[in-house]
Amino acid sequence: MSLWIIEYTYDKREALRASLLDEHSWYLAGLADAGAMIAFGPCEDGNGELLIASGSSRAHVEDLVSGDPYVCVGAVKDMRIRRWEGRLFPSWQASRILAEEPHIETS
């Protein structure tokens, strides 16, 4: 499987996206549970979203995101899909969890 970067650019219908946010999030979380979506989330400026997926081909990734409620209703005005040669390190997630845990002093 290859890694893929998907960049969504939203259209101007913020109210529509807000009404579909739960469905959109649950859909992508389902792909994550299946091992097909590595990460996803909106960009800071609110104009789009970045997704990282695992798939065998561009067509496979296009098929994955075609079921996203935002895509289904046309709230994504532009989508860019690129194969990514990035690396994911297993220790990254463990280090994030440790960093977020409260420090407990022991005597």
Side-chain angles (χ1 to χ4, degrees):
M1 291 286 183
S2 298
L3 294 175
W4 300 83
I5 298 289
I6 304 107
E7 296 173 273
Y8 285 177
T9 301
Y10 298 146
D11 69 7
K12 300 293 182 197
R13 297 177 291 171
E14 293 177 30
L16 175 62
R17 284 194 317 278
S19 72
L20 294 170
L21 179 59
D22 286 344
E23 291 176 55
H24 163 75
S25 297
W26 281 109
Y27 179 78
L28 295 177
L31 293 179
D33 287 345
M37 189 62 58
I38 308 302
F40 60 90
C43 297
E44 182 180 27
D45 64 8
N47 293 323
E49 186 161 355
L50 178 72
L51 303 88
I52 302 174
S54 175
S56 57
S57 66
R58 180 184 175 91
H60 179 219
V61 174
E62 288 171 346
D63 188 51
L64 291 173
V65 296
S66 71
D68 181 344
Y70 282 5
V71 174
C72 292
V73 300
V76 175
K77 75 175 181 179
D78 186 48
M79 182 186 325
R80 184 174 179 192
I81 300 173
R82 296 180 290 159
R83 188 167 177 202
W84 183 49
E85 299 295 331
R87 306 289 186 273
L88 299 175
F89 297 98
S91 61
W92 180 83
Q93 185 63 32
S95 67
R96 296 267 305 167
I97 292 169
L98 290 174
E100 293 171 4
E101 290 180 359
H103 180 69
I104 300 172
E105 295 280 333
T106 57
S107 320

